[in-house]
Amino acid sequence: EIKRLIIVDTKNLDRLGVFRDFVSKHKPKIHIYDHHPITKQDIKGELEVIVPVGAVSTIFTEIFEKKSIAITPMEATIITLGIYEETGSLLYSSTTPRDLNAVSYLLKRGADLNIVASFMRADITAEEFGLLNRLLETAEELIIMGSHIFICMAVTEGYSDVAHLAHRLIDMLNADAVFIIVMLSDKVLIVGRSKTPQIDTSSILSVFGGGGHVFASSATIHEVPLEIVQERLINSINQNIKPIKTAKDVMTTPVITINHNDTIKNAEMMMTRYGVNVLPIIQSEQYSGIITRETVEKALFHGFKNSPCKDFASTDVFVASKDTNITDIESAMVETNQRFVPVVEDNKVIGAITRTDLLRTMYAEALKRNSISSTPIPQKSGIIKNAKKLMKDRFPDEIYEILHIAGEIADKMGVSAYLVGGAVRDILRGEDNLDIDIVVEGDGILYAKELANRISARVSVYKRFGTARLLPIEEDKGLWAKNKELKIDVATARTEYYETPASLPKVETASIKKDLYRRDFTINTLAIRLNHQEFGVIIDYFGGQRDLKEKVIRTLHNLSFVEDPTRAFRAVRFSERFGFKISRHTENLIKTAVRMNIFDKLSGTRIYDELTLTFKETNPVKALQSMDRYGLLKVIHPSIRLTKEMLQLLESVNETVIWYNLLYLQGKCKSHMLYIMALLYKLSDDERTQALKRLSVNAYETGQIFKMYASAQAILSRLNPSDDYAIYQLLKNQPIEALLFAMAVTKNEERKKAISMFLLKLNNIKPVITGNDLKDLGISEGPIYKTILNKIVEGRIKGLISTKEDEIRVARLYAEGKEI
């Protein structure tokens, strides 16, 4: 007589118990409310409410809310208990945001969490504890495609609720997945739990007629021995599991290649230029083999420098596709002693995997399991951490949102995007930095235009370098109005090489790894992934996090200062700014570059730019002391010596600049010129000229510097601290730099006070009346206006004039030719 059957939390025919045969025979109307994925064993209903959430109770809660169905506090409590039980108190991987929203709604309707807590199974019974022990004793680990899976078996009587034990086991064993096989009195129960979508428990248990969803499923089998069940389960796991990582997840792209007809000599040059040990060989854009540095060096030794690479190519090496799982690649590299695996699609090289890539992936996986290791792996360089929370804390909300948008655009365009540079370094140091640099493994300019469209910005493009800068459409509006220091730069991932020491680099498109490798120090090689799936993941190929933690400035390779000597100045600058020490090896490399006269090949403009940046640091004098210790100041002129007297002058300049900047006066000071003048102060005029020429200072600025030396000297020789008007007359037309340098040079406190008084008081004394007032007094326009106004200023400084009326009186008298 049953006309309608309402099925909740399943749609699998085998799970309907006594109703199974009834449904098949009588075909009643069926209503289904379920949250499990659809499978082949599912029955169909006239009404189907199937929602992929963590608990079926969430589905009903959403229906109640949508239809405004009133529920009592006790009903809300019972439904909340259902959600908590099925989602492991909202901790299972299957939990969705909708489950949390449902709980929030139920709490507003009076759900009592104290009652929920009293029903949640916090402890296990003695019977359950015994079963848990037996399951642990039989736990067998399978490592398949990089996933760690445990199968546990036990026999028990009259006990069937083992699902929550699976969750305990997956945590205790630190597994990716656990399958429990329990023999009961009349059946075998299999329960599967997974932490990763690569292990779909529903698909694996479907061969037993079971069901559920990706992360949690179960099946019941009758009259089959445990051993047979175990064998079938292992087979199903092997058939249904997906690799955790494939070649496309770990490969480096793009790859430096060489044409099959290129010579061995060219191959050696390319390997040196790009810092690689293997080159894939290309023939008509098709992959045809690889050539290694070892092979190239032997060929050169035997005199085959002009032979084509194809004559010495290895053509039988293991080659991966982008979908080859990392386990197969690992096996091939170990078994064949192959250190470089080309990744090929349609016989074209799309990437490469090196032993370093493989080891880093294996290390990252090992880190996840160090909690069960008797000797935990030290968490130093190479650790992949997620900086999402740090980004949320350190960046303004609108900047954080832009980075999310940047990730969305990268996903849409099918490219990888990374936040790089000082912003990454500084958020890890707990500092703010709105200098946003994004690197794209793809077309950076096209990407920048897409991003600009989304955030209403305009784009300034630099095609030569594949870079772009995002700028406000209107000044002081929107995003930039709230964040005055914001800079957004986008670049195509690129590598660079130096044709000669100290020359400007040649730039080519590359991978993020190569892009980071071209940077100056390890602390600046960190990147944060912006793509949605891995948003916030830190990329650290070169131990940047370790050196940040240990507060060390460390260069990436031994030729770093040979290729770009300006890095030596930056090493000192970063060291002083952050309070970091320069590693001993890096110090030795700086001294070696100085000894080899590498800086002689460096343009003066680049040295001057680095010095100018150094002078803007909080304590430039300490930075200059470090430069002197490494011999870097001799690069400017060999006669520069940081004697005690010179240090006192530099400190005085620094204090004077800080004092002046704190006044916030209208006149801007070119502080870098003051430090340069101090550095060259003890040199002769000829030596100063040579030093300025070495720094490529242009003729105009050189003239200004010499003029300021003379002005400062004249000021100090003629200054009369006791006569305010004489002070005013002497200083009123002098450049601000000359005044400040004179203040810094003199040790006479009265002279310092006199210059200080001029800047703070005398220079601001102005007449109240204007030319219009003089015109109203009937005074004809002409040079007399300037004379009268100057006379008024003199009167104010001397205390003879204090009001506007006094000024008008003086103007009339002067116009009448009378004595004032």
Side-chain angles (χ1 to χ4, degrees):
E1 296 180 4
I2 297 171
K3 304 297 183 186
R4 182 175 60 184
L5 194 65
I6 301 173
I7 304 171
V8 174
D9 210 24
T10 187
K11 49 190 176 298
N12 189 311
L13 186 63
D14 292 333
R15 294 174 67 95
L16 298 187
V18 296
F19 288 98
R20 173 177 176 166
D21 294 337
F22 176 83
V23 167
S24 301
K25 183 176 180 181
H26 296 285
K27 310 290 185 187
K29 289 184 178 180
I30 294 174
H31 291 186
I32 298 172
Y33 296 86
D34 190 26
H35 67 117
H36 296 100
I38 296 171
T39 67
K40 294 178 181 178
Q41 289 78 28
D42 291 347
I43 56 175
K44 296 294 182 182
E46 281 76 13
L47 171 66
E48 292 185 349
V49 181
I50 302 170
V51 184
V53 290
V56 76
S57 297
T58 296
I59 297 173
F60 286 107
T61 302
E62 292 179 344
I63 292 173
F64 298 154
E65 182 177 10
K66 184 178 180 180
K67 295 190 175 185
S68 300
I69 298 173
I71 55 175
T72 67
M74 185 52 67
E75 288 168 340
T77 301
I78 293 169
I79 299 167
T80 302
L81 179 59
I83 296 174
Y84 269 62
E85 176 64 27
E86 198 158 10
T87 62
S89 298
L90 306 174
L91 293 175
Y92 293 166
S93 302
S94 55
T95 307
T96 69
R98 294 171 70 168
D99 299 300
L100 276 72
N101 290 334
V103 169
S104 174
Y105 176 81
L106 294 167
L107 289 174
K108 292 174 184 176
R109 296 297 176 275
D112 189 336
L113 288 180
N114 289 321
I115 296 176
V116 172
S118 70
F119 276 87
M120 293 301 293
R121 196 184 297 265
D123 300 311
I124 60 176
T125 65
E127 183 182 8
E128 292 169 340
F129 189 76
L131 178 57
L132 183 63
N133 272 335
R134 293 196 295 278
L135 291 168
L136 279 170
E137 288 170 0
T138 62
E140 178 183 344
E141 184 179 17
L142 306 175
I143 302 178
I144 305 173
M145 294 188 184
S147 295
H148 292 245
I149 304 165
F150 285 83
I151 296 177
C152 309
M153 297 194 300
V155 177
T156 188
E157 291 291 333
Y159 182 80
S160 59
D161 186 14
V162 299
H164 74 284
L165 295 183
H167 285 289
R168 289 180 180 269
L169 285 167
I170 203 169
D171 291 332
M172 293 169 73
L173 296 169
N174 202 14
D176 293 310
V178 163
F179 290 89
I180 294 176
I181 305 174
V182 177
M183 171 72 81
L184 304 173
S185 56
D186 59 343
K187 57 187 176 182
V188 175
L189 178 65
I190 310 176
V191 175
R193 292 293 183 266
S194 168
K195 286 182 178 178
T196 169
Q198 282 81 20
I199 308 171
D200 184 344
T201 61
S202 177
S203 298
I204 291 169
L205 295 186
S206 64
V207 297
F208 300 102
H213 50 75
V214 171
F215 302 104
S217 301
S218 62
T220 303
I221 310 166
H222 296 274
E223 300 177 357
V224 179
L226 281 179
E227 291 75 14
I228 301 298
V229 174
Q230 181 187 22
E231 183 180 343
R232 288 175 60 191
L233 176 61
I234 293 173
N235 288 337
S236 184
I237 292 172
N238 277 296
Q239 291 172 11
N240 289 284
I241 193 171
K242 300 172 185 175
I244 289 181
K245 287 184 182 289
T246 60
K248 67 180 178 182
D249 298 316
V250 299
M251 70 184 186
T252 297
T253 186
V255 184
I256 304 298
T257 61
I258 191 167
N259 188 277
H260 72 296
N261 282 326
D262 267 357
T263 64
I264 292 294
K265 182 180 179 181
N266 283 342
E268 192 272 336
M269 289 174 60
M270 288 183 67
M271 287 176 172
T272 301
R273 174 184 295 170
Y274 296 107
V276 297
N277 293 313
V278 181
L279 290 172
I281 296 174
I282 305 301
Q283 182 174 0
S284 301
E285 298 186 355
Q286 301 290 298
Y287 167 77
S288 65
I290 64 171
I291 189 163
T292 67
R293 184 181 289 274
E294 182 182 13
T295 300
V296 167
E297 288 176 350
K298 286 184 177 180
L300 288 172
F301 178 77
H302 291 295
F304 294 106
K305 67 178 182 180
N306 294 319
S307 297
C309 290
K310 64 183 179 183
D311 290 349
F312 299 94
S314 299
T315 57
D316 58 349
V317 297
F318 173 79
V319 175
S321 72
K322 65 179 181 180
D323 297 320
T324 305
N325 73 68
I326 202 67
T327 307
D328 291 344
I329 295 171
E330 177 189 340
S331 298
M333 293 181 83
V334 171
E335 291 169 6
T336 63
N337 194 29
Q338 187 174 327
R339 62 190 181 194
F340 179 98
V341 172
V343 183
V344 175
E345 183 176 34
D346 297 330
N347 210 32
K348 293 183 178 180
V349 178
I350 61 169
I353 297 173
T354 65
R355 287 183 297 189
T356 302
D357 297 326
L358 185 64
L359 285 170
R360 192 174 299 280
T361 301
M362 294 166 64
Y363 182 63
E365 291 299 317
L367 282 173
K368 295 177 184 177
R369 297 179 174 79
N370 65 357
S371 60
I372 59 172
S373 170
S374 57
T375 55
I377 298 170
Q379 296 195 5
K380 291 186 179 178
S381 63
I383 298 174
I384 298 176
K385 295 181 179 179
N386 197 298
K388 186 186 296 186
K389 186 176 186 305
L390 282 174
M391 295 163 72
K392 184 75 172 174
D393 292 342
R394 301 311 312 181
F395 290 129
D397 290 343
E398 54 271 21
I399 306 300
Y400 184 75
E401 179 61 25
I402 282 176
L403 296 176
H404 264 291
I405 292 171
E408 291 174 11
I409 293 171
D411 289 336
K412 178 183 175 183
M413 295 178 66
V415 299
S416 294
Y418 304 86
L419 178 67
V420 301
V424 180
R425 177 197 65 218
D426 288 345
I427 65 170
L428 290 173
R429 293 177 54 247
E431 301 290 338
D432 295 334
N433 188 331
L434 295 187
D435 202 350
I436 305 299
D437 287 308
I438 297 173
V439 165
V440 180
E441 288 183 319
D443 190 333
I445 293 176
L446 184 61
Y447 175 91
K449 291 177 179 178
E450 287 288 328
L451 180 58
N453 287 336
R454 285 287 300 274
I455 66 171
S456 300
R458 58 190 175 91
V459 182
S460 181
V461 171
Y462 309 91
K463 287 186 178 180
R464 180 183 171 190
F465 298 107
T467 62
R469 171 164 288 182
L470 274 61
L471 302 166
I473 292 176
E474 294 182 52
E475 293 298 329
D476 299 324
K477 291 287 182 72
L479 178 69
W480 274 264
K482 294 181 181 179
N483 304 278
K484 298 289 186 183
E485 298 177 6
L486 175 63
K487 296 177 183 176
I488 302 178
D489 289 311
V490 177
T492 303
R494 57 199 194 274
T495 188
E496 59 188 29
Y497 62 89
Y498 296 79
E499 293 184 334
T500 58
S503 65
L504 291 173
K506 302 294 183 181
V507 176
E508 294 184 8
T509 303
S511 64
I512 184 65
K513 185 176 180 181
K514 286 285 186 183
D515 188 277
L516 296 174
Y517 185 65
R518 70 185 177 83
R519 296 170 189 267
D520 45 17
F521 309 109
T522 57
I523 62 170
N524 292 329
T525 62
L526 296 160
I528 294 176
R529 189 76 180 261
L530 297 180
N531 294 69
H532 176 71
Q533 192 170 4
E534 293 183 289
F535 184 83
V537 170
I538 295 176
I539 308 298
D540 182 8
Y541 291 115
F542 309 108
Q545 292 178 78
R546 173 199 62 200
D547 287 342
L548 277 179
K549 183 178 179 182
E550 296 178 1
K551 297 186 176 182
V552 172
I553 305 293
R554 191 190 314 277
T555 191
L556 271 73
H557 56 86
N558 292 351
L559 293 177
S560 183
F561 300 120
V562 172
E563 292 179 342
D564 185 359
T566 61
R567 290 170 177 164
F569 294 95
R570 291 204 291 279
V572 172
R573 195 164 73 246
F574 288 139
S575 175
E576 299 306 326
R577 182 191 303 174
F578 304 136
F580 286 13
K581 63 183 179 182
I582 300 175
S583 75
R584 182 175 297 177
H585 181 62
T586 302
E587 285 185 331
N588 290 336
L589 292 175
I590 294 173
K591 292 174 182 176
T592 299
V594 173
R595 191 171 63 251
M596 295 170 64
N597 298 320
I598 295 297
F599 291 88
D600 292 350
K601 302 174 183 178
L602 189 62
S603 73
T605 302
R606 296 178 69 192
I607 298 174
Y608 195 34
D609 289 344
E610 291 296 331
L611 286 173
T612 301
L613 291 171
T614 301
F615 299 147
K616 293 178 181 178
E617 295 294 328
T618 305
N619 195 338
V621 179
K622 280 190 70 177
L624 289 170
Q625 282 182 281
S626 296
M627 288 180 185
D628 185 55
R629 190 167 65 250
Y630 298 130
L632 294 175
L633 293 184
K634 294 184 184 302
V635 172
I636 304 171
H637 194 280
S639 297
I640 294 178
R641 300 280 190 278
L642 277 199
T643 61
K644 183 177 179 180
E645 186 180 1
M646 276 294 297
L647 281 173
Q648 289 174 345
L649 174 57
L650 286 165
E651 288 286 4
S652 183
V653 167
N654 191 41
E655 291 169 5
T656 303
V657 168
I658 292 171
W659 170 80
Y660 183 76
N661 288 338
L662 289 175
L663 297 178
Y664 295 103
L665 299 177
Q666 287 185 346
K668 295 297 181 183
C669 165
K670 298 175 182 176
S671 57
H672 70 281
M673 294 179 71
L674 296 178
Y675 289 106
I676 289 292
M677 289 170 67
L679 276 176
L680 309 184
Y681 187 63
K682 291 296 181 179
L683 302 185
S684 66
D685 283 350
D686 285 345
E687 289 173 330
R688 288 174 183 171
T689 301
Q690 291 168 11
L692 292 171
K693 186 176 180 180
R694 176 66 186 96
L695 294 175
S696 299
V697 178
N698 61 50
Y700 173 77
E701 194 167 325
T702 297
Q704 290 294 105
I705 289 173
F706 274 95
K707 184 178 178 181
M708 283 186 284
Y709 276 130
S711 296
Q713 188 176 2
I715 288 168
L716 295 177
S717 64
R718 296 165 52 193
L719 190 63
N720 180 3
S722 62
D723 186 340
D724 289 357
Y725 186 64
I727 294 170
Y728 175 80
Q729 286 285 84
L730 178 64
L731 304 184
K732 66 178 181 179
N733 294 321
Q734 296 290 352
I736 189 63
E737 292 81 11
L739 296 176
L740 295 178
F741 191 71
M743 272 188 79
V745 168
T746 184
K747 295 180 182 179
N748 185 302
E749 289 300 320
E750 293 302 316
R751 289 194 176 99
K752 283 184 185 286
K753 288 179 182 178
I755 299 172
S756 172
M757 182 179 65
F758 170 78
L759 291 169
L760 291 171
K761 179 183 175 182
L762 301 181
N763 196 37
N764 297 319
I765 293 177
K766 300 287 187 293
V768 175
I769 64 173
T770 65
N772 288 332
D773 293 313
L774 297 178
K775 190 174 183 180
D776 292 341
L777 291 173
I779 302 173
S780 301
E781 291 185 50
I784 194 172
Y785 277 29
K786 183 177 180 180
T787 304
I788 292 172
L789 294 176
N790 286 340
K791 204 68 177 175
I792 290 170
V793 170
E794 180 183 352
R796 282 191 170 274
I797 291 174
K798 291 180 176 180
L800 303 174
I801 297 173
S802 58
T803 65
K804 183 175 182 179
E805 288 72 21
D806 289 341
E807 291 186 3
I808 293 172
R809 177 178 55 81
V810 168
R812 281 180 175 150
L813 288 171
Y814 203 87
E816 294 170 1
K818 296 179 179 179
E819 196 68 32
I820 300 174

